[in-house]
């Protein structure tokens, strides 16, 4: 489909932030994909950072990495998981990126001496990024989410750009969907529509009239409230969507479909006919999740655990793997700086699995080392990701391979055994943003390894985000001590994955890459699938042991009572 045929959906938010525009956009994308249409999603973020790669996870949550190596907003993870389509660097645009491009053009003289202004130069660049999505993707729909909240000063250039866009593309090829909050006031016992009314009015003041209003609330909206909002928004009742709280975000596309969202978008607004949606697989996933009867507790040991969004894709990948095994995965968020405390150590010892995710910097490093050692010596299933692999290698070097003081040079430049060191090409780099090893690279999986068995393929492509690698000068000594380098780059120069042999440990696997970024509800990432399976096996073995112990004690009590009665 050419750009002249592509339709554009713009999603804005009002009242407060964090209402779930990303989930709403992804859910609409899921419904359109289910009807046989091709979709690409795009996020505009109003902050001045060029990308989120240098931002603290406490500020921004996780950094999601695309196949082509862009560091992006975490909403792109939702887009990929819901639509099963890869995003790209064109899928996330920041105000900083827009201004950077325009300023570089001005410095080159591209504007021929003109005064460079927000309108038209900044807004033209924003519109160009929208058109780029349509041109490069050749899709039926481009869904663009505008970050922030209507009324914020930093969002105004983006809102002005999408206000202008229908003038060029055609109003009937564009749709505006506005997400707002309908709060419940407990002491009054009422849902209040006034914030939504004000938000819609603010959007109109900017020059955008919404074609659909999605209302976030704790409980489903009554027909009366929907009719009231429709009246003030000058919309039919069918265009007022109740986005109420659910216990599973993957149910939201089904909630939207039940209210006719996809029919309204396609038939009422765009005048398009499309096949009925094929949602049987999606429905099956949500049913399996709701019916899951098995349980596993995973201790996730990190330094950003106070903000769970810092590990969002990891948590979702665990969830996908749990559903695959008809199980609920409970995550025990463990601050790596507290691992040496007795009660925290007890939590790790009783966990069904230990996972150490990616990260940077030395804070909590020794706690992660202690957690990895506990997993190895107590035969607790272990999965390390990126930094989690470097932790596992350093711990093994110190305590098995006889390299006392072994470490990563990121943590200790003077270590006698730098088992983890900077990539050679990283040593002269000064800038922090966008300079790591980023994006999908081939990984060769070695015959006879557990990781090869999990993937079922000799070569896979996985996404990376790191600067440090296993030091090849010490690799042979590590392998001689029993560390299995089961995944490498095709030329075997870089270690991509390690594990311990099956007769040594039930499941001890770590990867330098980030498998969580490619996990999908329908297709869990193989490493997570294997890890959760091993954790469930441990949980059920412990349950059998506990049951056998209880039965033994009960038998002894019964025998003792019988003897006393005699």
């Amino acid at each position: 489909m050419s750009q002249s045929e592509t339709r554009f959906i713009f999603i804005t938010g009002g009242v407060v932030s964090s209402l779930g525009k990303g989930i709403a956009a992804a859910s609409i994308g899921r419904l359109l994909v289910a009807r046989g249409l091709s979709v690409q999603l795009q996020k505009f973020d109003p902050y001045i950072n060029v990308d989120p790669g240098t931002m603290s996870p406490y500020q921004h949550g996780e950094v999601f990495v695309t196949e082509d190596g862009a560091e992006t907003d975490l909403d792109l993870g939702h887009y990929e998981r819901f639509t099963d389509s890869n995003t790209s660097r064109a899928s996330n645009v920041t105000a900083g990126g827009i201004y950077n491009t325009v300023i570089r053009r001005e410095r080159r003289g591209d504007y021929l001496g003109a005064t460079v202004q927000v309108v038209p130069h900044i807004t033209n660049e924003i519109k160009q990024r929208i058109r780029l999505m349509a041109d490069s993707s050749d899709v039926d729909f481009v869904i663009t989410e505008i970050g922030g909240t209507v009324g914020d000063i930093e969002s105004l250039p983006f809102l002005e750009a999408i206000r202008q866009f229908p003038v060029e593309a055609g109003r009937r090829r564009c749709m505006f969907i506005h997400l707002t909050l309908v709060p419940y006031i407990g002491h009054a016992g009422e849902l209040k529509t006034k914030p939504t009314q004000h938000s819609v009015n603010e959007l109109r003041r900017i020059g955008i009239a919404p074609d659909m209003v999605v209302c976030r609330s704790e409980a489903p909206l009554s027909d009366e409230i929907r009719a009231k909002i429709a009246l003030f928004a000058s919309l039919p009742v069918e265009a007022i969507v109740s986005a109420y709280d659910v216990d599973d975000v993957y149910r939201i596309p089904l909630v939207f479909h039940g209210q006719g969202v996809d029919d309204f978008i396609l038939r009422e607004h765009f005048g398009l006919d499309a096949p009925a949606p094929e949602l049987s697989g999606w429905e099956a996933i949500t049913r399996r999740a709701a019916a899951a009867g098995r349980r596993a507790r995973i201790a996730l040991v990190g330094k950003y655990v106070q903000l769970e969004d810092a590990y969002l894709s990891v948590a979702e990948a665990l969830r996908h793997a749990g559903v695959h095994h008809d199980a609920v995965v409970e995550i025990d968020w463990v601050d790596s700086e507290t691992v040496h405390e007795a009660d925290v150590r007890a939590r790790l010892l009783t966990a069904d699995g230990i996972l150490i995710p990616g990260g940077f910097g030395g804070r909590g490093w020794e706690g992660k080392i202690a957690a990895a050692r506990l997993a190895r010596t107590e035969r607790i299933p272990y999965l390390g990701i990126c930094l989690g692999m470097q932790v596992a290698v350093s711990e093994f070097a110190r305590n098995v391979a006889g390299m006392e003081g072994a470490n990563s040079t990121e943590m200790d430049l003077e270590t006698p055994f730098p088992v983890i060191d900077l990539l050679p090409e990283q040593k002269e780099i000064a800038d922090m943003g966008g300079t790591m090893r980023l994006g999908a690279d081939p990984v060769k999986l070695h015959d006879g390894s557990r990781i090869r068995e999990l993937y079922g393929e000799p070569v896979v492509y996985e996404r990376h985000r790191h600067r440090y690698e296993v030091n090849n000068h010490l690799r042979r000594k590590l392998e001689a001590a029993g560390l299995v380098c089961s995944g490498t780059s095709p030329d075997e120069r870089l270690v991509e994955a390690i594990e311990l042999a099956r007769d040594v440990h039930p499941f001890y696997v770590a990867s330098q890459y980030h498998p969580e970024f490619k996990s999908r509800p329908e297709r869990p990432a193989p490493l997570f699938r294997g890890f959760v399976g091993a954790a469930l096996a441990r949980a059920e073995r412990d349950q059998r042991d506990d049951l056998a112990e209880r039965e033994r004690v009960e038998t002894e009590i019964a025998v003792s009572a019988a003897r006393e009665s005699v």
Side-chain angles (χ1 to χ4, degrees):
M1 177 175 284
S2 67
Q3 186 191 321
S4 62
E5 297 171 310
T6 301
R7 271 70 175 181
F8 301 89
I9 298 175
F10 301 101
I11 297 182
T12 57
V15 186
V16 295
S17 60
S18 302
L19 285 181
K21 293 192 300 296
I23 295 291
S27 297
I28 291 169
R30 172 77 257 173
L31 292 176
L32 296 179
V33 168
R35 299 189 74 143
L37 299 163
S38 56
V39 176
Q40 275 291 334
L41 288 102
Q42 179 181 41
K43 173 76 179 286
F44 285 152
D45 276 310
Y47 48 75
I48 301 299
N49 304 68
V50 173
D51 61 48
T54 57
M55 295 173 71
S56 165
Y58 288 127
Q59 292 273 323
H60 189 268
E62 79 169 4
V63 173
F64 188 82
V65 178
T66 61
E67 287 282 291
D68 59 356
E71 295 175 293
T72 70
D73 184 81
L74 59 78
D75 276 329
L76 271 68
H78 294 312
Y79 302 165
E80 291 200 5
R81 288 186 286 270
F82 276 69
T83 66
D84 199 17
S85 298
N86 287 337
T87 54
S88 69
R89 61 180 61 252
S91 303
N92 192 201
V93 180
T94 71
I98 295 290
Y99 279 90
N100 189 42
T101 298
V102 170
I103 289 169
R104 282 191 287 110
R105 287 179 179 166
E106 184 274 332
R107 293 289 82 188
R108 289 198 306 263
D110 292 2
Y111 299 115
L112 303 177
T115 300
V116 179
Q117 298 175 286
V118 172
V119 180
H121 301 96
I122 296 297
T123 52
N124 283 348
E125 181 62 25
I126 293 169
K127 289 185 289 183
Q128 177 58 25
R129 301 299 180 97
I130 300 169
R131 288 189 289 266
L132 179 64
M133 276 303 278
D135 287 340
S136 62
S137 303
D138 191 27
V139 291
D140 299 315
F141 282 88
V142 171
I143 301 175
T144 302
E145 174 193 348
I146 308 299
T149 306
V150 169
D152 294 344
I153 189 170
E154 59 264 32
S155 296
L156 288 175
F158 293 102
L159 295 171
E160 171 61 19
I162 65 173
R163 184 198 66 78
Q164 297 173 13
F165 196 83
V167 176
E168 303 167 13
R171 183 64 178 93
R172 298 307 300 170
R173 289 179 51 227
C174 298
M175 182 177 188
F176 295 102
I177 299 177
H178 191 50
L179 183 72
T180 71
L181 177 68
V182 180
Y184 177 76
I185 307 301
H187 74 271
E190 291 180 332
L191 288 166
K192 292 296 184 180
T193 64
K194 190 63 71 177
T196 290
Q197 295 173 39
H198 284 310
S199 185
V200 169
N201 284 337
E202 178 67 16
L203 193 62
R204 282 176 171 160
R205 189 184 66 79
I206 293 168
I208 298 171
D211 302 300
M212 176 180 281
V213 177
V214 178
C215 302
R216 287 284 290 111
S217 59
E218 293 181 16
L221 301 184
S222 66
D223 290 343
E224 179 185 3
I225 289 178
R226 291 176 65 211
K228 182 178 181 180
I229 294 170
L231 178 65
F232 281 96
S234 303
L235 291 171
V237 174
E238 295 77 16
I240 309 302
V241 181
S242 177
Y244 52 87
D245 291 350
V246 294
D247 57 0
D248 182 353
V249 294
Y250 296 115
R251 282 185 52 209
I252 295 176
L254 305 177
V255 170
F256 281 8
H257 176 63
Q259 297 179 55
V261 169
D262 45 325
D263 278 338
F264 186 89
I265 290 171
L266 292 173
R267 294 175 185 168
E268 298 299 323
H269 186 81
F270 289 110
L272 297 175
D273 287 323
E278 174 48 60
L279 292 168
S280 57
W282 202 258
E283 290 169 342
I285 289 168
T286 59
R287 283 197 304 269
R288 287 185 70 176
R294 308 167 74 193
R295 288 188 176 273
R297 182 171 64 86
I298 303 300
L300 188 153
V301 184
K303 68 177 184 177
Y304 306 118
V305 294
Q306 289 82 5
L307 181 67
E308 296 177 9
D309 273 359
Y311 303 111
L312 180 60
S313 290
V314 171
E316 289 301 306
L318 286 170
R319 186 179 184 187
H320 302 160
V323 172
H324 174 83
H325 289 288
D326 295 315
V328 174
V329 175
E330 299 172 351
I331 300 178
D332 183 4
W333 302 90
V334 177
D335 186 336
S336 55
E337 292 189 284
T338 68
V339 168
H340 295 290
E341 297 174 10
D343 61 327
V344 176
R345 180 180 172 85
R347 282 160 57 192
L348 294 176
L349 283 169
T350 56
D352 302 312
I354 294 175
L355 188 153
I356 298 180
F360 300 92
R363 183 167 63 83
W365 170 259
E366 290 301 325
K368 294 172 187 177
I369 292 280
R373 182 175 188 179
L374 205 66
R376 180 180 58 80
T377 57
E378 299 297 327
R379 295 173 58 82
I380 302 169
Y382 176 86
L383 178 61
I385 298 170
C386 195
L387 188 73
M389 186 182 103
Q390 297 171 10
V391 165
V393 171
S394 299
E395 188 281 322
F396 186 90
R398 292 181 190 181
N399 299 306
V400 179
M403 302 183 195
E404 185 177 351
N407 218 329
S408 166
T409 55
E410 181 183 7
M411 315 307 165
D412 180 8
L413 284 171
E414 303 301 323
T415 174
F417 295 103
V419 289
I420 306 295
D421 199 6
L422 268 176
L423 287 160
E425 55 268 31
Q426 290 284 328
K427 293 191 176 182
E428 302 303 319
I429 291 176
D431 288 347
M432 298 297 291
T435 56
M436 287 182 279
R437 183 185 179 197
L438 291 164
D441 276 335
V443 179
K444 175 183 174 183
L445 305 179
H446 293 205
D447 290 337
S449 65
R450 185 191 299 272
I451 198 169
R452 170 68 179 272
E453 178 185 302
L454 287 170
Y455 279 92
E457 299 178 52
V459 177
V460 296
Y461 282 79
E462 291 283 6
R463 301 180 193 179
H464 298 72
R465 184 178 183 245
H466 62 101
R467 299 180 190 279
Y468 290 80
E469 296 272 3
V470 173
N471 187 341
N472 278 325
H473 296 297
L474 297 171
R475 175 175 161 187
R476 301 306 173 204
K477 188 170 183 179
L478 291 166
E479 290 177 319
L483 191 71
V484 179
C485 295
S486 51
T488 61
S489 56
D491 62 4
E492 301 200 12
R493 184 175 71 92
L494 304 176
V495 175
E496 296 277 20
I498 61 97
E499 60 187 69
L500 295 180
R502 298 167 195 267
D503 59 344
V504 174
H505 198 285
F507 190 97
Y508 195 94
V509 176
S511 66
Q512 187 58 70
Y513 54 83
H514 289 263
E516 70 271 22
F517 291 145
K518 298 184 76 168
S519 186
R520 304 286 185 267
E522 311 96 316
R523 296 188 314 283
L527 293 191
F528 281 84
R529 189 184 68 233
F531 172 59
V532 170
L536 285 165
R538 176 181 173 84
E540 290 165 0
R541 185 203 69 203
D542 288 347
Q543 289 167 7
R544 289 193 299 270
D545 290 347
D546 289 344
L547 179 60
E549 179 62 17
R550 283 199 302 270
E551 290 175 347
R552 184 188 66 77
V553 171
E554 288 170 0
T555 300
E556 286 183 359
I557 291 171
V559 169
S560 177
R563 286 173 179 166
E564 288 177 4
S565 65
V566 171

